[in-house]
Amino acid sequence: MKLKFNLDYQTIFGEEIVLHIIDSTHDFLDAKHKMVTTDGHRWTAEVSHPGRSGRHIDYFYSVERDGMPVRTEWQVIPHRLQFTSTKAKTYVLYDHWNDLPEDSYLYSSAYTDCVTERELGVPKSTTFGVTALIRVRAPQLAGNQSLALCGSEEQMGAWDAGKALAMTEIAHNTWAVKLDISALLNKTIEFKFVTIDTERNYQWEEGENRTIALPDAENGTVIGYELPQAHFAMAPWRLAGTVVPIFSLRSHGSYGVGDFGDLKKMVDWMEATGQRGLQVLPINDTTITHTWTDSYPYNSISIYALHPMYADLRQLPALDDKERAAQFETLRNELNQLPQIDYERVNNAKMEYLRLLFAQEGEKVLKSADFKTFFKENKRWLAPYAAFCQFRDQYGTANFSQWPAHHSFTDEDRNNYEDPKSAEYKEVSFWYYVQYLLNRQMRDAHEYARSKHVVLKGDIPIGISRNSVDAWTEPHYFNLNGQAGAPPDAFSANGQNWGFPTYNWDAMLADGCKWWVNRFSKMQEFFDAYRIDHVLGFFRIWEIPIDAVHGLMGQFSPSLGMSRDEIQGYGLNFQEEFFTQPFISDWIIDRVFGPHANYVRDHFLQHSHDDIYRMKPEFDTQRKVEEAFEGKDSDDDIWIRDGLYALIGNVLFLRDRKDGSKFHPRISAQLGFTYEALYDNDKDAFNRLYNDYFYRRNNRFWYHEAMKKLPRLVEATRMLVCAEDLGMVPDCVPWVMNEEKILSLEIQSMPKDNTIRFGNLHNNPYRSVSTISTHDMSTLRQWWDEDYERTQDYYNSVMWKTGPAPHPLPGWLARDIVAQHLYSPPMLCLLSLQDWLSIDEEVRLPDPNAERINIPANPKHYWRYRMHLYIEDLLANKSLNRQIHDLIAQSNR
């Protein structure tokens, strides 16, 4: 069978179009074909193909120059051709180039699998002599609608919508129909598309009638026309939902922490209240020390493995040992009644239970067909994860650099751990068993959410633990001598140091970002939308030296450092030693340390000259100081330690870590002592340099950096892509997010326009997520009482209320604030559970300070917040549920 492809696409000299075929039969190996042209506009290619009846091919086009890709079509929904014309000998296809559409969200699984839920089909086989195959995209259709073609010819209904020719949805939002044109050759047909719902209501396509001038053709020819998108009006898709960590869920049967069974119960509450979105925090395994410090959900040891604490023991077989079962039940009741999570006791108990259950059921499960399928599909990550867990526990540390052996995971190791007959496999099979249970439960929760039309939204952390499976097995992807973090912001005056290794993007881009694509592909098994944590990291990451504690010592990577001449071009006399080494003088020591000044001089400093000092070598980095003060927590010790941190960070410029001849102004240097010591004209010069560097210099550079990475990741799955774009946001971020159709995050109390105090909700873009607070922030009720002057301004200028603002926040006012957010334009309005509950004074937690999930300024924060109500009680609370349901319905969400 011959396939003749035709594409009209204007190229420039030196560019060529390449056709890429993805064959469902897997027997068509030559999948890349260069097209030919005579005018640089009409491109053609002819391909031979088996064309087996009932099969299909997907294909897309790309532009190349000198064999290198320049641009590629949107591949999430490629062109599709199905072979259902039994007499076909030749397919002549007329396509058009598909860019990422403005309404790409309608092609996401969040919409197609959770909202419309239409089943894809295959057109009926036909025996026409000459066939016109018409394909069109129509993403605007509701779940109860289908598409039909109605037009001038009898077989098209002769303009009677009741007799319109039904079309088949062959791919998500892509419809096809075949016409017998054997008697219509050299004629022009006229038609429109029409929607038909289950009640037989019709809606005609807007605009002028479509026409196709049919050519002459031989019998056995199928002429395929891919037409521009159908024109139907559609109200914006807007949904409301809740954000809550799974560990924070509480049901009558949970084991002191939320689990995947509780997630299904939370979906029930979504349905009961008219909510259609449920966002959770990361769910990957974070077990490093087996202590409460592992509670930080963004510090995962594997980008694939799920955390064992989320196992719902209720879904597992009961223990045969009735005495032990009774003991576990007693402990469950105790842990489940605690106001907060006891992370260590919960995880110890669950792991013990799972080990007992594995001894009882493991052999049978590992022999099952379902487990074998799971293992085959996941063994590439499962084997190294299981080995890592074994060595972590065997050697008493997750820091693989300290292990006496197994410093890497070799191909031989992999073969052994993947072989069911090997001793290695048997040693770690418990971890295979646990991940099998977790995967099955989470996938079941995902399918349950879809069945209730609820979009599950996950969270992809920007980093991974430096003591992780990924850093152990694929160290070439990471810069282990750096630490990721964030510059100073509203959350932390010293910046944030997350401790994650930064990425070696050169290595990642070299293989097409395979590590990220695999990560996203695994995540789509559990979610239909996701939040990219700290999307700014794909433009540039805040990289902190390994010997630093504070985020203040970081610099953006990659970024364009400044040469000495550039710095001096601003009128600043660049004094390298003075500007790049800690400036420590008597007046600074006295001001910082007060009564401890002489003690500091004697123990931590060396006199240099005049009234100038330098740090002793044993204390000349923040990590050395941290180690020296380990276990010292008196107020005086903390005063001295933090003061020494400040001295070490008292520089005006940081040397570029790749090019020693380039420099970066230190973030927030204007608050330091070196800046204070400058003459006024030098301060003015530094301020001009500083503003140019942080807000203008790197914009184009960072745009191109992000465009190397984000398009690959956005197209890796059909999940709806959302991003956390808070913090020090360069101008290029919205450029890229708009180009890639990524939803932004909009928070009224943190407007992106720094000339206003509170954002105007109705100015928020449709392609965004609106919320009141995040897990890193105070909840609405906390925020309300933190700053009375700010609250008063909000009460008068935003809420348009007169008189003094009431304190604490009354439920009626919280309801008004929630309502304003629901009425705003964003596609998604996802509010924290705490903020939803704030509208009902009888339901909400009495102490608002007990609602806080995380304090970013504290890197050792204990993540243990748990909702104070049982989900069953939420489901039974008709008053609260009616309030929420009415708020959502009134806002048309």
Side-chain angles (χ1 to χ4, degrees), residues 533-604:
D533 173 43
H534 194 66
V535 73
L536 305 185
F538 291 91
F539 295 76
R540 78 293 184 273
I541 197 70
W542 190 248
E543 188 172 47
I544 305 161
I546 197 68
D547 60 10
V549 173
H550 284 168
L552 287 173
M553 302 299 290
Q555 59 187 242
F556 287 124
S557 178
S559 60
L560 303 173
M562 305 184 74
S563 68
R564 177 190 300 270
D565 290 343
E566 285 182 288
I567 294 171
Q568 295 190 155
Y570 282 87
L572 181 64
N573 182 25
F574 187 68
Q575 306 169 55
E576 184 171 329
E577 182 174 354
F578 176 51
F579 286 167
T580 62
Q581 298 298 318
F583 173 52
I584 306 172
S585 66
D586 278 324
W587 66 270
I588 295 173
I589 299 168
D590 291 337
R591 187 189 299 183
V592 172
F593 297 101
H596 308 294
N598 287 332
Y599 174 78
V600 170
R601 287 187 184 94
D602 293 341
H603 288 81
F604 302 101

Side-chain angles (χ1 to χ4, degrees), residues 803-818:
H807 291 275
L809 177 69
W812 65 266
L813 186 52
R815 180 187 172 96
D816 284 355
I817 295 172
V818 167

Side-chain angles (χ1 to χ4, degrees), residues 82-85 121-126 133 168-170 176-178:
Q82 292 176 316
F83 301 108
T84 56
S85 297
V122 178
K124 293 180 180 178
S125 294
T126 55
L133 170 64
T168 302
E169 189 171 15
I170 60 172
V177 69
K178 290 181 291 184

Side-chain angles (χ1 to χ4, degrees), residues 317-331:
L319 291 178
D320 291 339
D321 187 332
K322 302 305 180 185
E323 182 179 350
R324 293 291 286 127
Q327 292 171 354
F328 276 109
E329 177 61 16
T330 300
L331 181 58

Side-chain angles (χ1 to χ4, degrees), residues 636-777:
D636 286 345
D637 286 326
I638 293 173
W639 181 350
I640 295 171
R641 182 201 65 191
D642 290 351
L644 293 173
Y645 287 164
L647 290 188
I648 294 167
N650 184 36
V651 295
L652 209 61
F653 287 89
L654 299 167
R655 195 180 299 275
D656 188 279
R657 284 189 281 280
K658 290 185 177 180
D659 183 349
S661 66
K662 300 291 180 65
F663 303 89
H664 305 262
R666 204 213 74 183
I667 192 78
S668 299
Q670 292 92 335
L671 302 178
F673 298 113
T674 306
Y675 177 85
E676 184 179 339
L678 296 177
Y679 293 116
D680 287 346
N681 62 321
D682 286 336
K683 289 180 181 177
D684 290 340
F686 180 80
N687 289 340
R688 290 195 307 274
L689 175 154
Y690 184 95
N691 290 332
D692 277 347
Y693 174 85
F694 281 112
Y695 298 103
R696 287 178 284 273
R697 178 181 179 85
N698 289 284
N699 264 321
R700 284 290 170 188
F701 176 66
W702 286 337
Y703 167 83
H704 291 294
E705 285 297 311
M707 289 303 292
K708 295 176 186 176
K709 308 157 191 170
L710 283 173
R712 300 170 188 249
L713 309 187
V714 169
E715 295 193 15
T717 72
R718 287 199 308 112
M719 292 186 288
L720 181 65
V721 188
C722 310
E724 180 268 290
D725 56 337
L726 305 177
M728 194 173 183
V729 183
D731 292 344
C732 60
V733 172
W735 305 345
V736 172
M737 291 181 62
N738 286 331
E739 197 166 330
E740 293 303 312
K741 313 300 182 278
I742 300 172
L743 276 65
S744 63
L745 178 62
E746 307 296 332
I747 301 177
Q748 189 175 33
S749 62
M750 296 180 63
K752 294 184 170 119
D753 180 353
N754 58 17
T755 65
I756 58 177
R757 192 172 195 180
F758 307 111
N760 185 334
L761 292 176
H762 294 284
N763 288 340
N764 288 344
Y766 171 65
R767 197 184 297 123
S768 68
V769 180
S770 176
T771 194
I772 298 173
S773 64
T774 74
H775 61 271
D776 281 333
M777 300 169 60

